[in-house]
């Protein structure tokens, strides 16, 4: 099974920005490069760690799309980890359990990620956010909404001073709702994002219910139901 979910036509358009794609396998590489090119980006490809460092040293990139699950990335000698000109942001393709092993010392700039199996729609959307510099977050780059702050390196979250004890599925859902604050997601969308497949409605309801209990202990409540449509994160207005 490949680490993506395709079949989506996106209105998101690039403006000729230069993107470096480093993915694990020719199928994912072709999918990403073709989609990004059709979306209006100029794309170069690196097949592994050596090509990644060479491309970063030789060319200017506005964004790097990097598959963190590639086996040879961890073998880049630190003396060869060059700081690229312009410190381009990086969009990682990864799994929640592997966030702590991402490579923060490649010299890249702002970091975001899409969990595998990923949807092309989300890759394009997160790429656009990184390129526009409008991602949810604080000055230190941590995704946040009010007093709700996520630590992607540790896959942990806290509300004010209170740490939230989240499962991987709960963390994945919380982050998706947070970085897309004020947007409503249906049960089907949540199921496909969290598990990469459609699950029974009661499984989604139980997941959201557990997450809501953990997040909404303080005021204001941040996770809400829009009856008949789905769930969203934000401050409810009267």
């Amino acid at each position: 099974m490949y680490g993506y979910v395709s079949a989506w036509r996106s209105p998101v358009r690039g403006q000729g920005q230069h993107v470096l794609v480093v993915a694990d396998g020719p199928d994912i590489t072709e999918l990403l490069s073709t989609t990004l090119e059709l979306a209006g980006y100029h794309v170069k490809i690196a097949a592994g760690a050596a090509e990644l460092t060479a491309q970063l040293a030789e060319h200017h990139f506005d964004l790097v799309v990097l598959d963190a699950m590639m086996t040879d990335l961890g073998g880049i000698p630190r003396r060869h980890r060059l700081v690229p000109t312009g410190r381009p942001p990086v969009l990682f393709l990864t799994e929640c359990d592997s966030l702590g092993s991402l490579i923060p010392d490649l010299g890249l700039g702002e970091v975001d990620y899409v969990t595998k199996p990923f949807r092309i729609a989300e890759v394009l959307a997160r790429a656009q956010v990184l390129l526009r510099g409008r991602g949810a977050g604080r000055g230190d780059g941590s995704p946040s909404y009010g007093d709700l702050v996520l630590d992607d390196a540790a896959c942990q979250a806290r509300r004010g001073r209170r740490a939230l004890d989240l499962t991987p599925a709960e963390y994945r859902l919380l982050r998706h709702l947070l970085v897309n604050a004020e947007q409503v997601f249906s049960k089907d969308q949540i199921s496909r994002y969290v598990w990469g497949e459609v699950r029974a409605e009661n499984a989604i309801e139980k997941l959201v219910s557990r997450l809501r209990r953990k997040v909404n202990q303080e005021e204001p409540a941040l996770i809400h139901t829009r009856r008949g449509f789905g769930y969203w994160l934000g401050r409810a207005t009267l």
Side-chain angles (χ1 to χ4, degrees):
M1 176 179 177
Y2 297 114
Y4 59 82
V5 179
S6 57
W8 191 85
R9 295 183 179 181
S10 171
V12 177
R13 297 290 302 174
Q15 298 178 339
Q17 297 100 324
H18 293 269
V19 179
L20 176 63
V21 172
V22 194
D24 189 12
D27 293 317
I28 299 180
T29 300
E30 182 179 1
L31 174 68
L32 289 168
S33 60
T34 300
T35 303
L36 288 165
E37 287 174 351
L38 290 174
Y41 299 100
H42 296 298
V43 179
K44 285 186 177 293
I45 296 170
E51 288 189 29
L52 166 64
T53 53
Q55 292 274 21
L56 289 174
E58 296 173 8
H59 303 283
H60 167 79
F61 292 100
D62 300 295
L63 174 70
V64 177
V65 179
L66 176 59
D67 191 338
M69 308 308 295
M70 295 182 68
T71 57
D72 68 337
L73 288 178
I76 304 175
R78 291 183 179 274
R79 64 180 180 279
H80 292 154
R81 293 184 179 182
L82 306 175
V83 177
T85 302
R87 294 178 58 82
V90 57
L91 178 63
F92 280 109
L93 311 177
T94 187
E95 297 176 354
C96 189
D97 291 344
S98 302
L99 289 175
S101 64
L102 299 184
I103 307 172
D105 54 349
L106 277 172
L108 298 168
E110 183 181 356
V111 171
D112 199 350
Y113 79 98
V114 174
T115 51
K116 299 172 72 174
F118 61 81
R119 299 185 67 187
I120 283 296
E122 190 176 8
V123 171
L124 292 173
R126 300 313 303 162
Q128 187 181 57
V129 168
L130 280 171
L131 287 165
R132 289 182 176 178
R134 294 190 296 106
R138 307 179 305 165
D140 61 3
S142 301
S144 64
Y145 188 97
D147 63 348
L148 177 62
V149 181
L150 307 187
D151 180 352
D152 284 342
C155 219
Q156 294 179 346
R158 69 176 187 273
R159 183 89 193 263
R161 295 183 178 181
R162 180 174 63 90
L164 307 183
D165 183 17
L166 303 180
T167 66
E170 291 166 356
Y171 185 88
R172 182 181 297 192
L173 173 58
L174 178 59
R175 193 185 196 284
H176 189 55
L177 293 174
L178 186 151
V179 299
N180 296 284
E182 319 295 343
Q183 296 186 38
V184 177
F185 291 93
S186 68
K187 292 178 182 177
D188 184 65
Q189 289 174 315
I190 288 173
S191 180
R192 291 184 182 279
Y193 178 78
V194 173
W195 294 293
E197 62 184 11
V198 176
R199 296 280 183 95
E201 286 196 2
N202 65 338
I204 294 94
E205 291 170 356
K206 289 179 180 179
L207 173 65
V208 175
S209 178
R210 292 197 307 269
L211 181 61
R212 193 202 310 263
R213 286 197 301 269
K214 294 177 181 181
V215 172
N216 287 359
Q217 291 184 25
E218 289 85 4
E219 293 292 338
L222 293 180
I223 296 179
H224 313 277
T225 301
R226 184 152 298 167
R227 195 169 301 279
F229 293 94
Y231 306 97
W232 62 284
L233 184 147
R235 295 183 178 87
T237 56
L238 298 177

